[in-house]
Amino acid sequence: QVHLVESGGGLVQAGGSLRLSCAASRSIFNFNTMGWYRQAPGKQRELVATFTSGGTTNYADSVKGRFTISRDIAKNTVYLQMNGLKPEDTAVYYCNWRTFTSFDYWGQGTQVTVSS
C-alpha cells in the first residue's frame, strides 16, 4: 500500500512557474514508474512526466523543455518543476506510483490553473 499526497498547485499567470511535490508514504524505490499525470476538464488523464526506479525519464512532448521531474529519495518525495506555463497546462495534476504488476496508486490531485 502506498499513499501519495500532492501539494504545490495554484493559480499562476502564463509564463510563470510552479513546483509540485508528491510525498510518498514509503521509500521511493522498487516501482515500475513514478511520476505525474494530468486531467483537464472534459479530457482524458494524460502522462506528463515519469521516471523508472532506475532513473530513466519520460516526458510528454507538450512539456519537454519546460517541465522537469526529480526526486529526493531521503524525503520520499517526487517533484515536478513547471516553467513557462501555458493556459493549456491548466488541469488537475496527479501523482502516480505504478507497480511491477501494473497496479496504479494515485494521489488526490492538485489543481493548476494558468491564466492568459
Side-chain angles (χ1 to χ4, degrees):
Q1 186 78 9
V2 178
H3 294 287
L4 304 170
V5 179
E6 302 100 333
S7 61
L11 173 64
V12 65
Q13 289 188 330
S17 298
L18 285 173
R19 189 177 79 157
L20 306 183
S21 300
C22 171
S25 60
R26 69 182 204 199
S27 297
I28 52 173
F29 66 96
N30 198 28
F31 53 84
N32 187 353
T33 63
M34 190 175 178
W36 296 91
Y37 288 71
R38 67 186 180 187
Q39 188 166 18
K43 295 187 177 181
Q44 290 188 332
R45 192 171 296 189
E46 63 177 3
L47 180 148
V48 177
T50 62
F51 56 81
T52 66
S53 56
T56 301
T57 57
N58 182 35
Y59 291 92
D61 288 342
S62 59
V63 307
K64 284 180 181 177
R66 299 188 298 124
F67 292 9
T68 303
I69 189 170
S70 63
R71 56 183 168 174
D72 186 331
I73 294 174
K75 296 182 178 180
N76 298 339
T77 300
V78 174
Y79 302 99
L80 184 68
Q81 178 66 44
M82 304 186 295
N83 299 328
L85 283 161
K86 305 175 181 180
E88 52 263 43
D89 294 319
T90 295
V92 178
Y93 284 70
Y94 295 92
C95 184
N96 170 265
W97 177 309
R98 180 165 296 167
T99 70
F100 288 108
T101 57
S102 297
F103 184 84
D104 285 316
Y105 293 97
W106 297 97
Q108 82 285 355
T110 186
Q111 177 71 46
V112 172
T113 303
V114 184
S115 63
S116 57

